[in-house]
Every structure is written in structure tokens, then in C-alpha cells.
């Protein structure tokens, strides 16, 4: 198992290295007139060329990339060209915000989807049909519309939660809950839709297997069969879907963060990309790649833990 | 049964906790002397050398003072400088500096520190360092006097000293590593760096030793950054701010329905910049009749309705309504008249039409570009758009890569507008258009007294409209909405009101 994890981590590191290289080339190739954007539209041509030289933009792409990489491996992603803020500080502070949203959304979705999926698969009938309808609706309704509806009802109308902004958990726990609940609900809906369908299908499929019939024949109760045997087999594919959804939420959070004016990675990515703040974009790309690799490794370990058969493969 | 009870109890606890936290939210507590402002953009850096006015002025004014003060009435008044006087040919500006001002780190303000600030701003490479382009030298003959010598008269100098170029920071920040995020000024408020999230939410506390307490209307100030129009309106409806800069005019009815006031300002105009007036890229544009035909081809009221839901005023001039150059008659110099446009094109030799290339970009709205192309096509002008990445739109424009462009530009005070759009060195005159008349008028404005400047600016405006250097469509209404407890007075010359002009009502 240790070897398996090590292998995954090494291949993950190579992936991060390749992604950063490709991103660097693409970003600098399409960079446009960066120095002018930093200095504003009134700057003279002389000032613009001075700035370009001060930023090292007059060096070769290779020299710039090796310079970036040698600092990045030591955790130094440089400073934002526009704000002077350390990229590492800016990205990690926003990563915490986004992760609290998407981890919250994933956990919530996992619990709700598990309940719905199991109910649909084991009860059948109108419960099954209702879950299917909820799933289709979850897919069909855009996340930002859900977010808007939630704001109108629970923030503007009932004033239970905040409509905009983010309160760090270290400042106030209740404040944090009031600022993240609605974005988490908005994000969770799509994941519930995808996951409930997946769990329903896997559980139904497993319930029809011969060994389940054998277990039933031996007199095991339905709760024991589902809890101990069905879920072990149905859990693997569900976890894979959960991982894909989690990674998808890294991108999906952009719109929700905008509607709620939450300072997450999405907002930083959009602002930095539009401005052409390449050090920040590079920091974001690298951190996102790291998160994706780590999530995949965690899911692999979790799958192995709930189903020993996975370890054999 | 037990489980249901436990679940119900847990839900009740959650509901109580959440409703409790909503009730203690300080932004909705009107009894507290605190102000929550939401604006659309964060400052890049608090270092004064990098300062920018416009939508970012609130951040700088909170922690710093300026040498002079621009009032909501449009006048320039003393501030850190108690007086300012020019010599006879407007090339030496002498300022008397207050002697009762301390920075929040305890350092006493002197003329020497002001000189260092001005020198650093000029050479600091910031986006507005060109404000001080005409400054030849800055001297501090004693602790209370500053003498600014100009290489040539600059009628906008006092205005610059009331904005970014006039900000004065403590010498302690000059070489500080955290200068971008930890400002030390002498302003009405102090940035609470522990409670501030850079780029998102800035918290300020009252400066207890401020020299001008009449300008401190609140004990605590929070400036949030909300650029999304929907989020801004949600903040208004949920009562999470006292004053909100609206990113556009499309939500005005919703904001008023929430019981808020709209404090309107017409700073920007939208329209076509007919840049290639000598016809170097497109010979047709060298003919004034073609440029006038473009102006007649535009249905301004229709465009205003389609693009801004009628929020704004149609115009054919680039000078703003509060300026000396402004002439109300020029708001309708080219009424919508397609047959006149076609006739002018025919006279210029383009009876069979012509083609103009322009850039387009998603940021300025796809609708704008398609309607413009349609209206010009109706008189026989084909627009060939090249889609441009938002970050390259301005660079391409000033390169110059296109003979004409659609753009929204601010209507600066007269001399700044001339330096921005009309003079041969102006950024938005990339083909360096010039002729004897404009040269003579610009020179007269630069060297003249106030009365001459006003008269000549009006002449220049009339000439530019007659020559159709631009095809402006309308002035856009921007708004700083405020709740029932807050009064806001907008600035005629800036996107944001002054921080001192947010006051509690009653």
C-alpha cells in the first residue's frame, strides 16, 4: 500500500511539473502588453519598457521559466505584479476559503446523496421516481440560479444567512456558518444530483448479484446486507464520482463565489487572468494541480480501505 | 420517537444560532457610528507612488491626506497646504504647509517630507506618475514651504495635488517591505490590518489624533469590494452595507424599490473614437464629411435605451456637463439622419459605401458592437471587427492598430481631458492628430488665466465637434446608492465621492 501511494505521489509530482510548464508557456505567449497594463493607460512608452525590463520580461522564456521553477520548488511563487502581495500568501488564504466551501458541499452532498440513493434503490416505487426527478432537476438548474434563489429567500427575506462576503472561522464560528451555508447549498445541489444517481445504480446492481441472494437465503437482515456488503461494492464507483465532482467544484465555485462576493480562488483566478497577473495565475495553476493530485491519492486510499479487492489491482 | 425529538432539538439550536448571528451583524446596526461601503475595485497597493484615483480614491483618502482638497462643488481648496499661489507665468507654484499635522506613527509633517513624497511619486513608476511630468523641481526652503517649479504651465497641477499626486505618507513606509499593505498616513482613519482581507474587505478605525476631526463622521469604516452587479444588489437588499457603488445602471429600479437613494454622476461617455483623422490607415476617415456622416448615422436615443435602459444623456461632445468647455447646444450637434449621412458619404466619394476595421471585446458587451455595426451598415459603412482579448483592447487601441474604436472614457476636467484625448501627446490621440487651430487653442489654454482658459476650452470643444474627431453616443449615469441612514454627495470629477462626503443622516 505504501508503495502504491508513493507511486501515485511521484506521478502526481511529474504531472504538476508538466502542467506548470505548459501553463507558463501559454500564459507568457498570450500575455500581450503586460507592462502597460500594470502601469495604466497613461504611462509613456519609456516607462512601459522600463517596467518590462524590471520584471525580467525582456529575458528568454526559458530563462524566465527556470527562474520561476527554481523559486517555486522552494515555496516562493513571487509577488503579484499588481498588488505586490506574496503569491503564496494570497493563494493560500483564498484556498482556505474555497476549500471550506467545496469540502462542505462535498460532505453535505455525500450524506444527502447516500440517503437518497439508498432509499431509491431499496424502496423503489415513488421514492425512486422522486429521487430521479430531483437528480434531473439538480443537473438542469444552473448553480447561479439556485444561488440567487437561496439568497432571495434565506438572506434577503428571512435574514438567516449573509448575502455577501465571507467571515473566517477564526473570527467568528457563527459568522462563518452564516457566510458559507448558502454557497455550500448552491454548490452541493449538482453533486447530489450526480452522486445520488450513481449510488442508486450501483446499489441496485449489487442487490441483484448472486451473492446477495445467498446472503438473504442465509437469513441476513436487509440493513446488514446493505450496510456491510452492498455498500462496500457500490462505494468504489461512488467515491470516484465524488472525486470528479470535488475537482469540478474547484471550477464551479467561480460563479457561486461571484454571486456571494466571496474571496475564493475563483474570484482571484478571474481577476488575475483578466489583469494578466501571471505570477498569481501560475501560483493558482500549481496549487490547483496539487489539490487535484492529493484528492486522487486520498480517494485511492479510501477505496482501498472500504474494499480490499482494490488493493489487489 | 427519541430520534425525531433529538433532530428537532438540533435543528432548533442551529436556527437560534444562525438567527442570533444575523442579528449581531454590525453592518446592519444603524445605532453604531460605523459605515460599510461597497465599491467595485480594490487598490493594487497602498503605497502612494502606486496610487490611483477614480474608484480607488476611497481607500487612499481614508488613510492619507492630500496637499489640496477637491470639493463636491468642483473647487480646489487648501488641505495639508493652507494656501497655494502661482507666479505670473504659471510656472512656479508655492504651497504653505500646515504645522499641526502628525502621521499616525507620531512623525511630524514637514515640507521636507512633502518634497520627498512628490519626488518619489514622480520617479516611482506608478500608473499616474505622469501627473508630475511637467514638474522640473521641488524645493523645501523651510519646514512650512514647498516650491514646485514647472517646465511649462500645467493648468491641471492643483487638481493633481488634490488627488493621487498630492497624497502624503510617512517616511517610515518609504522603504518598508509591507508598504503595499500597511499604510501610515495622517488621514482620518487607520487601516486595521488584522481585520482586513486584502482585495476583499478593508477595515479602518478612527484616527484619534486627526488634525481635522470635522471630517471624521464615523468611528469605524469598512470598505468591501463587490464587483459583481448581482452581489452588489443582494448586499443592498440584505442591508449588508450603507452605501454601494453600483457596477452598472441596469439595477436602478430594484435599488430604489429597496428604499435606497441613487446618487447619480455622469463621468463617462460612450461612443466611437474616430482616431485616424489623417487617414493613414483608412483614407476615408481623413475626410471630415465621412466622420460627420458616422455621427449622423448614430441613433443616440435608441442606443441609450438599448444599452443603458435609458439611464444617461445623449451627447455629441466629449467634455462633461459641469466643465467650462461644455456647450448644451453640442449635445445634439448631429441628430439621427440617415439620408444626411448617405448624402455626406456620397459627396466624399463613398456613395457605394466603405469599410472600417475596429476591435471588439467581450468586456464592453457584445450587444454594443452589433448595434453599432448595424447602424453604420444602414448608411453603407461596413464594420469589420477583430475580436480582441480584454487585456489587449487598450494596448491595441493606443498602438495604434485601428482607425476607429468603440470605447467608454472618463470626462476629466478640461485640461486633463485635453491631455488625455486631444493634444498630440495624448494617450487617446494615438495617431497624434493636430492642426493649427487645435494647437493654437491648446496653447492659449495652457498659458492663459482662468477666464481665457474657459473661453478657449469652449472654442476648442466646438471645433472638435465640428471636425467630428469623435462620435460620442451618451453620457453614462453611474451611481453610489445609499441607505436611509446615510447621505452621500457625489464628486463631479471622480467616480467615487470623497470619503468625507459620506455622512450619517439626521
Amino acid at each position: 500500500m505504501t508503495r502504491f501511494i508513493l507511486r501515485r505521489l511521484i506521478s502526481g509530482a511529474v504531472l504538476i511539473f508538466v502542467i506548470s510548464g505548459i501553463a507558463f508557456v501559454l500564459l507568457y505567449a498570450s500575455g500581450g502588453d503586460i507592462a502597460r497594463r500594470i502601469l495604466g493607460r497613461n504611462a509613456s512608452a519609456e516607462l512601459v519598457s522600463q517596467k518590462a525590463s524590471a520584471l525580467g520580461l525582456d529575458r528568454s522564456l526559458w530563462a524566465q521559466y527556470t527562474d520561476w521553477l527554481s523559486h517555486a520548488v522552494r515555496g516562493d511563487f513571487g509577488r503579484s505584479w499588481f498588488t505586490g502581495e506574496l503569491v503564496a500568501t494570497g493563494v493560500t488564504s483564498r484556498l482556505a476559503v474555497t476549500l471550506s466551501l467545496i469540502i462542505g458541499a462535498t460532505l453535505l452532498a455525500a450524506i444527502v446523496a447516500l440517503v437518497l440513493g439508498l432509499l431509491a434503490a431499496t424502496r423503489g416505487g415513488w421514492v425512486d421516481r422522486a429521487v430521479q426527478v430531483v437528480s434531473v432537476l439538480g443537473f438542469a438548474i444552473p448553480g447561479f440560479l439556485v444561488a440567487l434563489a437561496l439568497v432571495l429567500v434565506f438572506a434577503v427575506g428571512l435574514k438567516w444567512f449573509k448575502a455577501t462576503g465571507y467571515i473566517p472561522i477564526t473570527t467568528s464560528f457563527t459568522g462563518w456558518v452564516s457566510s458559507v451555508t448558502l454557497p455550500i447549498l448552491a454548490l452541493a445541489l449538482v453533486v447530489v444530483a450526480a452522486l445520488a444517481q450513481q449510488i442508486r445504480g450501483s446499489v441496485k446492481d449489487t442487490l441483484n448479484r448472486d451473492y446477495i441472494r445467498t446472503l438473504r437465503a442465509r437469513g441476513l437482515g436487509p440493513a446488514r446486507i446493505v450496510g456491510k456488503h452492498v455498500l462496500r461494492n457500490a462505494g468504489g464507483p461512488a467515491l470516484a464520482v465524488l472525486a470528479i465532482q470535488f475537482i469540478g467544484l474547484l471550477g464551479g465555485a467561480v460563479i457561486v463565489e461571484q454571486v456571494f462576493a466571496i474571496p475564493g480562488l475563483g474570484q482571484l483566478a478571474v481577476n488575475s487572468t483578466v489583469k494578466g497577473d501571471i505570477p498569481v495565475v501560475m501560483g493558482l495553476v500549481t496549487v490547483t494541480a496539487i489539490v487535484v493530485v492529493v484528492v486522487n491519492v486520498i480517494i485511492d486510499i479510501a477505496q482501498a480501505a472500504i474494499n480490499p479487492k482494490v488493493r489487489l489491482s | 420517537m427519541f430520534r425525531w425529538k433529538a433532530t428537532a432539538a438540533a435543528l432548533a439550536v442551529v436556527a437560534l444560532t444562525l438567527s442570533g448571528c444575523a442579528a449581531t451583524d454590525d453592518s446592519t446596526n444603524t445605532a453604531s457610528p460605523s459605515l460599510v461601503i461597497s465599491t467595485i475595485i480594490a487598490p493594487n497597493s497602498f503605497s502612494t507612488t502606486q496610487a490611483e484615483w477614480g474608484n480607488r480614491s476611497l481607500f487612499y483618502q481614508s488613510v492619507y491626506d492630500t496637499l489640496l482638497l477637491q470639493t463636491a462643488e468642483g473647487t480646489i481648496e487648501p488641505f495639508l497646504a493652507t494656501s497655494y499661489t502661482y507666479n505670473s507665468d504659471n510656472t512656479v507654484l508655492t504651497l504653505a504647509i500646515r504645522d499641526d499635522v502628525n502621521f499616525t506613527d507620531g512623525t511630524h509633517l514637514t515640507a521636507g517630507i512633502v518634497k520627498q513624497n512628490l519626488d518619489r511619486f514622480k520617479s516611482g513608476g506608478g500608473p499616474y506618475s505622469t501627473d508630475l511630468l511637467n514638474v522640473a523641481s521641488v524645493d523645501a526652503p523651510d519646514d512650512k514651504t514647498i516650491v514646485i517649479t514647472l517646465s511649462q504651465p500645467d493648468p491641471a497641477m492643483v487638481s493633481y495635488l488634490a488627488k493621487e499626486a498630492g497624497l502624503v505618507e510617512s517616511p517610515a513606509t518609504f522603504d518598508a517591505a509591507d508598504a503595499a499593505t500597511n499604510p501610515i498616513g495622517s488621514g482620518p482613519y487607520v487601516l486595521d490590518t488584522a481585520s482586513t482581507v486584502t482585495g476583499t474587505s478593508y477595515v479602518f478605525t478612527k484616527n484619534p489624533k486627526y488634525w481635522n476631526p470635522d471630517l471624521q463622521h464615523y468611528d469605524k469604516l469598512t470598505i468591501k469590494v463587490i464587483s459583481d452587479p448581482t452581489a452588489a444588489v443582494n448586499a443592498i437588499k440584505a442591508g449588508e452595507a450603507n452605501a454601494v457603488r453600483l457596477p452598472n445602471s441596469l439595477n436602478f429600479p430594484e435599488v430604489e424599490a429597496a428604499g435606497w437613494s441613487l446618487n447619480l454622476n455622469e463621468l463617462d461617455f460612450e461612443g466611437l473614437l474616430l482616431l485616424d483623422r489623417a487617414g493613414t490607415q483608412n483614407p476615408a476617415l481623413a475626410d471630415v464629411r465621412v466622420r460627420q456622416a458616422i455621427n449622423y448615422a448614430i441613433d443616440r436615443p435608441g442606443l441609450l435605451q438599448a444599452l443603458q435602459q435609458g439611464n444617461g444623456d445623449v451627447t455629441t461632445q466629449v467634455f462633461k456637463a459641469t466643465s467650462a468647455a461644455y456647450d448644451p447646444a453640442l449635445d445634439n450637434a448631429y441628430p439621427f439622419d440617415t439620408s444626411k449621412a448617405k448624402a455626406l458619404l456620397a459627396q466624399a466619394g463613398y456613395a457605394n459605401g466603405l469599410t472600417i476595421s475596429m476591435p471588439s471585446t467581450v468586456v464592453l458587451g457584445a450587444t454594443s458592437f452589433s448595434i453599432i455595426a448595424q447602424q453604420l451598415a444602414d448608411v453603407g459603412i461596413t464594420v469589420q471587427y477583430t475580436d480582441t482579448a480584454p487585456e489587449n483592447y487598450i494596448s491595441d487601441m493606443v498602438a495604434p492598430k485601428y482607425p476607429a474604436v468603440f470605447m467608454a472614457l472618463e470626462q476629466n476636467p478640461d485640461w486633463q481631458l485635453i491631455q488625455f484625448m486631444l493634444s498630440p501627446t495624448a494617450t487617446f490621440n494615438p495617431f497624434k492628430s493636430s492642426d493649427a487651430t487645435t494647437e493654437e487653442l491648446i496653447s492659449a489654454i495652457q498659458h492663459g488665466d482662468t477666464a481665457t482658459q474657459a473661453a478657449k476650452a469652449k472654442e476648442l470643444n466646438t471645433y472638435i465637434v465640428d471636425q467630428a474627431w469623435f462620435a460620442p453616443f451618451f453620457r453614462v449615469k453611474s451611481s453610489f446608492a445609499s441607505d436611509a441612514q446615510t447621505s452621500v454627495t457625489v464628486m463631479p470629477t471622480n467616480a467615487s465621492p470623497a470619503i468625507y462626503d459620506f455622512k450619517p443622516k439626521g
Side-chain angles (χ1 to χ4, degrees):
Chain A
M1 188 69 182
T2 319
R3 218 161 140 198
F4 166 76
I5 294 170
L6 264 179
R7 230 177 30 232
R8 294 305 307 267
L9 285 176
I10 290 167
S11 63
V14 173
L15 183 70
I16 292 164
F17 175 76
V18 171
I19 288 173
S20 73
I22 294 171
F24 198 90
V25 172
L26 289 175
L27 282 168
Y28 278 80
S30 63
D33 193 350
I34 296 161
R36 170 164 295 284
R37 269 181 272 148
I38 295 170
L39 291 174
R41 54 196 190 190
N42 294 334
S44 66
E46 191 191 352
L47 270 177
V48 169
S49 71
Q50 272 175 19
K51 187 78 185 178
S53 152
L55 292 173
L57 296 170
D58 48 359
R59 293 177 302 162
S60 73
L61 197 60
W62 176 248
Q64 291 181 59
Y65 177 63
T66 48
D67 187 35
W68 177 85
L69 190 65
S70 69
H71 286 90
V73 291
R74 286 174 275 163
D76 173 12
F77 291 90
R79 284 180 183 273
S80 156
W81 283 346
F82 288 83
T83 65
E85 190 184 27
L86 280 170
V87 172
T89 314
V91 171
T92 46
S93 70
R94 285 161 180 88
L95 180 69
V97 177
T98 298
L99 282 184
S100 69
L101 292 188
I102 60 180
I103 289 174
T106 310
L107 286 178
L108 176 69
I111 295 166
V112 174
L114 187 65
V115 173
L116 290 180
L118 280 177
L119 282 176
T122 54
R123 295 277 168 89
W126 70 267
V127 179
D128 190 13
R129 281 195 294 278
V131 169
Q132 304 249 34
V133 170
V134 169
S135 293
V136 171
L137 281 179
F139 272 125
I141 304 172
F144 76 92
L145 271 186
V146 178
L148 282 178
L150 290 171
V151 170
L152 286 178
V153 176
F154 295 105
V156 174
L158 298 169
K159 297 203 184 300
W160 287 0
F161 304 103
K162 285 180 72 66
T164 55
Y166 175 81
I167 298 170
I169 196 164
T170 47
T171 306
S172 150
F173 177 73
T174 51
W176 176 78
V177 171
S178 78
S179 65
V180 299
T181 304
L182 297 184
I184 283 178
L185 285 174
L187 286 173
L189 186 74
V190 179
V191 185
V192 168
L195 204 57
Q197 284 283 50
Q198 167 63 44
I199 292 173
R200 173 191 171 275
S202 298
V203 171
K204 263 194 131 117
D205 181 47
T206 315
L207 281 173
N208 290 331
R209 297 279 173 86
D210 292 344
Y211 75 92
I212 299 292
R213 200 166 54 235
T214 314
L215 289 173
R216 278 206 192 103
R218 282 173 55 196
L220 255 69
R224 186 116 186 258
I225 291 176
V226 171
K228 196 164 178 193
H229 301 280
V230 174
L231 278 183
R232 271 179 183 255
N233 282 298
L239 275 177
V241 171
L242 197 62
I244 292 168
Q245 291 293 329
F246 182 91
I247 290 160
L249 285 182
L250 278 172
V254 175
I255 293 166
V256 168
E257 281 171 8
Q258 248 175 343
V259 172
F260 289 95
I262 285 180
L265 284 184
Q267 219 182 44
L268 184 66
V270 171
N271 292 340
S272 313
T273 311
V274 169
K275 279 196 290 191
D277 199 343
I278 291 175
V280 179
V281 179
M282 281 304 299
L284 284 165
V285 167
T286 314
V287 165
T288 310
I290 291 170
V291 170
V292 170
V293 167
V294 169
V295 166
N296 277 310
V297 172
I298 290 173
I299 292 295
D300 284 343
I301 297 170
Q303 282 184 325
I306 62 163
N307 191 352
K309 278 192 287 181
V310 173
R311 271 174 260 174
L312 297 175
S313 61
Chain B
M1 189 65 191
F2 172 73
R3 275 190 195 158
W4 280 114
K5 276 185 185 165
T7 312
L11 282 175
V13 168
V14 170
L16 283 173
T17 316
L18 294 175
S19 53
C21 75
T24 54
D25 187 344
D26 63 357
S27 65
T28 51
N29 187 349
T30 52
S32 156
S34 67
L35 175 72
V36 180
I37 300 174
S38 142
T39 189
I40 55 174
I41 193 163
N44 281 330
S45 163
F46 267 102
S47 170
T48 54
T49 59
Q50 307 301 314
E52 294 175 71
W53 225 238
N55 284 301
R56 292 177 164 124
S57 59
L58 293 172
F59 297 93
Y60 296 104
Q61 281 181 322
S62 299
V63 290
Y64 299 117
D65 291 314
T66 41
L67 289 169
L68 300 171
L69 180 71
Q70 192 138 33
T71 67
E73 291 74 42
T75 57
I76 303 285
E77 289 184 359
F79 206 39
L80 282 182
T82 54
S83 67
Y84 63 94
T85 45
Y86 268 115
N87 68 342
S88 59
D89 67 352
N90 294 335
T91 53
V92 179
L93 176 64
T94 305
L95 305 161
I97 305 297
R98 297 189 72 91
D99 63 356
D100 59 348
V101 178
N102 289 314
F103 295 102
T104 51
D105 64 351
T107 311
H108 185 66
L109 174 75
T110 61
I113 293 175
V114 173
K115 170 184 159 48
Q116 289 180 65
N117 271 273
L118 289 168
D119 287 342
R120 291 178 81 248
F121 190 87
K122 181 174 162 66
S123 61
Y128 283 81
S129 56
T130 45
D131 283 4
L132 302 186
L133 200 65
N134 293 322
V135 171
S137 66
V138 180
D139 296 296
D142 60 57
D143 269 0
K144 292 190 209 166
T145 312
I146 281 286
V147 179
I148 299 174
T149 307
L150 304 175
S151 52
Q152 55 179 328
D154 188 338
M157 188 51 63
V158 291
S159 165
Y160 293 144
L161 296 182
K163 303 202 296 181
E164 59 275 318
L167 293 167
V168 182
E169 65 183 331
S170 164
T173 62
F174 286 174
D175 300 312
D178 62 351
T181 52
N182 188 12
I184 302 175
S186 63
Y189 300 96
V190 181
L191 182 69
D192 177 357
T193 50
S195 309
T196 290
V197 183
T198 302
T200 303
S201 171
Y202 297 78
V203 180
F204 302 85
T205 54
K206 192 175 180 176
N207 176 1
K209 293 178 184 162
Y210 190 51
W211 61 275
N212 194 354
D214 289 351
L215 295 181
Q216 294 173 298
H217 306 302
Y218 297 93
D219 287 342
K220 186 184 170 196
L221 169 68
T222 305
I223 309 181
K224 295 177 176 183
V225 180
I226 301 182
S227 51
D228 183 73
T230 310
V233 175
N234 287 342
I236 288 172
K237 286 182 182 166
E240 289 176 0
N242 305 108
V244 172
R245 168 82 157 97
L246 295 171
N248 58 42
S249 63
L250 304 179
N251 297 102
F252 283 0
E254 252 183 297
V255 173
E256 285 184 308
W260 282 49
S261 311
L262 295 169
N263 306 284
L264 298 168
N265 191 6
E266 286 189 349
L267 198 73
D268 290 357
F269 80 92
E270 285 187 13
L272 294 174
L273 316 182
L274 307 178
L275 301 172
D276 189 13
R277 292 142 202 150
T280 50
Q281 275 184 6
N282 189 327
L285 283 179
D287 194 317
V288 66
R289 289 168 297 190
V290 172
R291 301 197 299 267
Q292 288 172 338
I294 292 172
N295 268 280
Y296 281 116
I298 302 295
D299 173 13
R300 292 176 172 82
L303 273 175
L304 181 64
Q305 194 56 43
L307 302 178
Q308 300 288 333
Q309 297 188 345
N311 294 305
D313 285 303
V314 296
T315 186
T316 47
Q317 61 190 321
V318 294
F319 284 89
K320 69 179 302 166
T322 53
S323 87
Y326 178 76
D327 180 353
L330 296 178
D331 274 344
N332 199 24
Y334 298 102
F336 180 46
D337 190 339
T338 49
S339 24
K340 196 158 186 176
K342 284 178 188 163
L344 280 165
L345 285 175
Q347 283 170 31
Y350 297 97
N352 297 324
L354 66 111
T355 301
I356 301 177
S357 64
M358 293 193 211
S360 62
T361 185
V362 64
V363 174
L364 290 177
T367 327
S368 321
F369 292 100
S370 50
I371 299 181
I372 293 164
Q374 182 58 53
Q375 296 202 348
L376 292 179
D378 287 348
V379 298
I381 299 172
T382 308
V383 179
Q384 220 164 45
Y385 284 122
T386 305
D387 192 38
T388 312
E391 60 268 26
N392 292 340
Y393 194 72
I394 289 174
S395 304
D396 285 359
M397 194 181 304
V398 302
K401 283 190 183 171
Y402 298 95
V405 293
F406 170 63
M407 188 60 184
L409 285 180
E410 66 258 34
Q411 298 175 297
N412 291 304
D414 292 350
W415 180 250
Q416 285 176 56
L417 189 146
I418 290 165
Q419 294 299 96
F420 187 60
M421 291 186 226
L422 305 180
S423 82
T425 52
T427 310
F428 286 90
N429 183 6
F431 288 88
K432 307 194 186 306
S433 308
S434 185
D435 58 28
T437 312
T438 53
E439 270 172 41
E440 187 190 317
L441 288 168
I442 289 172
S443 171
I445 294 165
Q446 183 173 17
H447 294 93
D449 56 21
T450 314
T452 312
Q453 285 172 356
K456 295 294 176 185
K458 201 164 253 174
E459 266 185 62
L460 178 64
N461 188 16
T462 310
Y463 179 74
I464 295 299
V465 172
D466 184 49
Q467 289 295 307
W469 273 30
F470 304 91
F473 303 158
F474 43 74
R475 290 185 292 272
V476 188
K477 279 198 196 309
S478 66
S479 174
F480 227 110
S482 55
D483 67 5
Q485 284 78 44
T486 313
S487 100
V488 177
T489 313
V490 296
M491 296 279 283
T493 52
N494 198 50
S496 270
I499 195 71
Y500 331 105
D501 291 330
F502 291 84
K503 294 176 190 165
K505 267 189 188 164

